[in-house]
Structures are given as C-alpha cells and as structure tokens.
C-alpha cells in the first residue's frame, strides 16, 4: 500500500495559525535605495571594528563555545556582571532562548500593541497565547499599567515592555515601568533595543527586582545589524536555566563576536554617531511637523512615527518605494496606524531625499531645514 505523506500532520498544531513577522521591504542588494524602513544605522563599522574585520583569518575554526570575551565586554559596557549575560545571533535569538526557557504551550505572554511585531509571531510559535493590552491613543501612546497587571493570570509567564517603544518611539516613564515590575508575579522583559538613543537604561530596575530581563542589541547604535549580535541581562537565579536553553556557541559566528568586541572598544566613535542621529531625528521631526496636516510624534529612538493627512498611507508608501525611498507602513487595521509611516533616521542626504519625495507624494513641496553636517 502506498503511503501519502501529509506535512500538515507533522507540523505542531500551534504553528499553523501563526502569521509571520513582516519586515521592511527594501533590499540590501539595491545600493541606490534610501533604506529608512529597518531602523538600521546608516553608518558602517567603527574604525576599530573595520580593522578587526579586515584582519580576520580564523573562519575555519569554531567560535568560543561560551563566548566568554564577548560576554565580558558586553557586561562591562552595560555595567553589570558576566554571570547575568546571554548573547545570541540578534535579539530574536535571545527571545527564542527566553521562550524555550519559560513557555509551555498555552502559557500567556502579554504585549501592548502597537509594538514590535516579532513578539507576537515568535512567542506564538512556541505555543504562547499572546494577550494584547493596547496602548492608549496618540500622541502619548500610554501604557495601561492597571490593564497589564489585571490581565496577568496563573498561566502568564512573561510581560514584554518595549521602551523606547517600536514603532511609536515613545519613552515610558521609569516609575510606570517599575510599578508594573513590582506588581507582576511573573517575568517582565524590558526591550531596550534603542536605549543608546534615549539615554536611559532600566538596569537599576533589573538590579532591584528578581523578575526582570533586559533585552539589548548591537544592531542599532553600533551598526551591526548584518552581524546579528543581541544580548540579554537575566536574573541570576534564572540564568542557569536560560543557559540550558541557549544554543551552542550562543549561535554567534566567530567574526560577529570579534567585530562586536571591537565595536565596544570603539564606543566613543559610536556615541558620536548616535549624537549625529539624534540631531537629525530632531531636525526630521521639526521639518515633518511643518508640513500641512502631518504630525510627527516625539521619539526617543532612531526613527520617527508620522501621521499623514490621508485615511490610508498605502499610496504614499507605494509612491516613495517607486522612487527607491523605503519607509515602514502599517496596513494591519488592528494597529490603528494605517494613516502612519515610520521613517528611520538616516544621513542628512537620505533624510532630505525622504522629505523631498514625501512632499511630492502629498502634493506639496517641503521646506527643509539645513541638513546637519555628518561625518
């Protein structure tokens, strides 16, 4: 008798209904494109990191299993001890380690939309029931502190707070964050991927409470998005279990680890880049708010969320893409951002190109401030 193979019967049941995360649309292969949709750094490697990359000759050898040098460098940079750090191939890898450590099918994870879309897709793939406690309306996009705490049940394993929040750019008050942490009998993960642009860290909160994980990345401020280096600061009591769930070699290649270590050693250069981007972020926001009907919200990250004087931003988004200017749109009705775009902060020239094409797409010429001088 001939057997018929059915992939659907093999796949775990909770994977089938999960929608995949939809990333930005631009391609790294298109060198002419203005890529402002991925929240990347527009700058290349720092000089010390570039020197390490140029001299790297050890790709035939496996990386350090424990990534000791990298973890020591990350701990020194953020101001904690190495016995609390887990590194991974990008923050999504650290999310996965967290999910494998904590989540049994049917456990709950609480998020607050609109927020980073990977939370829902990734934790759902691990069998979590994702509970949404929505943010308040614009322009504050406030966290619903009581709503989050009241949504916690015996099956809640994790509350995720993104601060500054993506895609809104909102910086939540640290007192609000701490009150949620103190009231939650579960793990609270604070994603501070954009911490370097906000000048704020939650490490003191993580030091005071035994239920806090901090998520960090080298992708944004250090310009290592393509090298995939993320890390988490875990409670000491939880870290041995998380290490069991972490993959061998932390999933990091030898060259990614070495480039990250060199980048940390070149942090003054990176902070200069951050200062330039913060200056450009503020110029970009002021210029957008001078456009008729456009509202650009406060941002503590390396991007700006803007609301357009249209019901649906899809046509403007498409027109920008046709001119090889790529920004992020939000077609999902549930997020309430269909009339919004998110633009990453690029170089002054890239920002000016975006402003020019946005003004043309909206039917008026933008009056731009002089670009900040970048080097």
């Amino acid at each position: 008798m001939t057997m018929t193979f059915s992939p659907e019967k093999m796949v775990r049941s909770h994977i089938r209904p999960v929608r995949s995360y939809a990333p930005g649309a631009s391609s790294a292969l298109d060198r002419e494109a203005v890529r402002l949709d991925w929240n990347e750094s527009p700058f290349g490697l720092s000089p010390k990191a570039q020197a390490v990359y140029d001299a790297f000759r050890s790709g035939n050898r496996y990386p350090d299993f424990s990534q000791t040098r990298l973890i020591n460098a990350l701990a020194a940079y953020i101001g904690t001890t190495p016995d609390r750090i887990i590194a991974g191939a990008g923050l999504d890898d650290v999310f996965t380690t967290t999910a494998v450590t904590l989540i049994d099918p049917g456990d709950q994870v609480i998020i607050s939309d609109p927020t980073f879309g990977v939370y829902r897709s990734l934790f759902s793939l691990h069998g979590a029931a994702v509970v949404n406690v929505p943010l308040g309306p614009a322009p504050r996009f406030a966290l619903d502190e009581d709503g989050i705490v009241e949504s916690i049940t015996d099956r809640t394993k994790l509350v995720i707070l993104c601060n500054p929040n993506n895609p809104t750019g909102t910086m939540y008050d640290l007192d609000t964050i701490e009150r949620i942490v103190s009231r939650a009998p579960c793990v609270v993960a604070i994603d501070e991927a954009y911490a370097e642009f906000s000048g704020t860290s939650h490490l003191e909160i993580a030091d005071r409470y035994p239920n806090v994980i901090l998520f960090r990345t080298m992708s944004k401020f250090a310009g290592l998005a393509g090298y995939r280096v993320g890390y988490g600061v875990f409670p000491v009591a939880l870290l041995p279990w998380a290490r069991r769930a972490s993959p061998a070699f932390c999933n990091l290649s030898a060259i990614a680890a070495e480039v990250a270590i060199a980048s940390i050693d070149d942090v003054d250069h990176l902070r200069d880049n951050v200062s330039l981007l913060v200056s450009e972020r503020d110029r970009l926001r002021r210029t957008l708010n001078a456009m008729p009907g456009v509202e650009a919200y406060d941002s503590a990250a390396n991007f700006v969320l803007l609301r357009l004087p249209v019901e649906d931003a899809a046509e403007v988004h498409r027109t920008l893409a046709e001119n090889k200017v790529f920004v992020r749109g939000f077609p999902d009705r549930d997020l309430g951002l269909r009339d919004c775009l998110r633009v990453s902060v690029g170089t002054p020239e890239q920002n000016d190109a975006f402003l020019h094409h946005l003004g043309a797409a909206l039917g008026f010429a933008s009056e731009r401030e002089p670009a900040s001088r970048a080097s």
Side-chain angles (χ1 to χ4, degrees):
M1 181 177 68
T2 302
M3 302 295 292
T4 301
F5 173 69
S6 173
E8 289 78 10
K9 292 182 179 179
M10 302 294 106
V11 174
R12 298 163 72 191
S13 59
H14 59 265
I15 291 179
R16 297 174 200 162
V18 174
R19 286 188 298 176
S20 297
Y21 171 67
S26 64
S27 169
L29 299 178
D30 189 347
R31 299 299 178 88
E32 297 180 3
V34 177
R35 295 185 54 175
L36 303 177
D37 54 342
W38 288 78
N39 293 347
E40 303 156 316
S41 170
F43 305 113
L45 295 178
S46 73
K48 291 182 180 179
Q50 186 65 55
V52 165
Y53 177 86
D54 292 341
F56 189 78
R57 298 292 184 272
S58 302
N60 60 310
R61 300 297 184 186
Y62 283 109
D64 174 25
F65 189 89
S66 60
Q67 293 290 358
T68 302
R69 290 180 61 247
L70 173 62
I71 286 173
N72 286 342
L74 292 169
Y77 168 66
I78 195 174
T80 189
T81 54
D83 61 351
R84 296 177 64 186
I85 300 282
I86 285 183
L91 255 188
D92 48 351
D93 199 36
V94 185
F95 296 158
T96 296
T97 293
T98 304
V100 173
T101 304
L102 300 178
I103 303 300
D104 285 316
D107 286 343
Q108 291 181 346
V109 173
I110 296 175
I111 65 172
S112 293
D113 276 329
T115 193
F116 188 31
V118 165
Y119 305 148
R120 181 181 294 277
S121 59
L122 187 146
F123 286 95
S124 294
L125 282 173
H126 289 272
V130 177
V131 177
N132 178 33
V133 180
L135 299 178
R140 290 188 61 233
F141 297 108
L143 279 171
D144 184 353
E145 176 188 336
D146 290 336
I148 290 171
V149 175
E150 290 165 6
S151 296
I152 295 173
T153 71
D154 290 341
R155 292 304 302 269
T156 305
K157 291 287 187 69
L158 184 64
V159 174
I160 306 178
L161 307 174
C162 187
N163 197 34
N165 185 49
N166 177 15
T168 64
T170 314
M171 186 71 201
Y172 302 120
D173 182 82
L174 294 187
D175 290 340
T176 301
I177 300 289
E178 184 163 4
R179 284 195 301 270
I180 294 172
V181 167
S182 67
R183 297 171 66 188
C186 60
V187 175
V188 178
I190 305 172
D191 183 350
E192 43 178 39
Y194 301 95
E196 284 82 5
F197 300 97
S198 70
T200 302
S201 169
H202 303 81
L203 185 61
E204 289 187 4
I205 295 175
D207 288 343
R208 284 197 293 270
Y209 294 90
N211 60 326
V212 176
I213 299 172
L214 301 184
F215 292 138
R216 282 265 188 147
T217 181
M218 299 290 287
S219 293
K220 311 301 182 183
F221 91 103
L224 303 190
Y227 292 89
R228 315 305 301 127
V229 182
Y231 60 107
V233 181
F234 283 70
V236 171
L238 186 60
L239 192 122
W241 305 102
R243 287 213 187 281
R244 291 189 186 186
S246 182
F249 308 106
C250 301
N251 262 357
L252 277 160
S253 70
I255 190 169
E258 292 301 319
V259 167
I261 293 167
S263 296
I264 293 169
D265 191 41
D266 215 2
V267 72
D268 288 341
H269 175 89
L270 298 177
R271 285 172 177 153
D272 287 343
N273 287 348
V274 168
S275 294
L276 288 169
L277 290 176
V278 168
S279 176
E280 275 297 290
R281 178 190 70 195
D282 296 342
R283 180 181 76 92
L284 190 61
R285 183 170 170 269
R286 288 193 301 270
T287 307
L288 287 166
N289 278 324
M291 293 183 175
V294 175
E295 183 176 10
Y297 298 115
D298 285 342
S299 175
N302 69 332
F303 58 83
V304 174
L305 182 72
L306 56 143
R307 195 173 297 275
L308 302 179
V310 296
E311 290 186 7
D312 189 335
E315 183 60 34
V316 174
H317 186 261
R318 187 162 41 249
T319 299
L320 290 171
E322 288 171 354
N323 287 281
K324 292 194 174 185
V325 176
F326 293 93
V327 297
R328 191 63 185 270
F330 303 94
D332 187 343
R333 290 181 181 275
D334 292 340
L335 294 180
L337 300 177
R338 296 188 75 206
D339 55 350
C340 291
L341 297 173
R342 189 198 69 195
V343 54
S344 306
V345 181
T347 64
E349 295 76 17
Q350 291 170 336
N351 298 332
D352 284 346
F354 161 70
L355 292 167
H356 168 75
H357 288 290
L358 176 66
L362 291 173
F364 54 83
S366 64
E367 294 182 5
R368 300 190 297 277
E369 293 184 16
S372 301
R373 186 175 181 272
S375 58

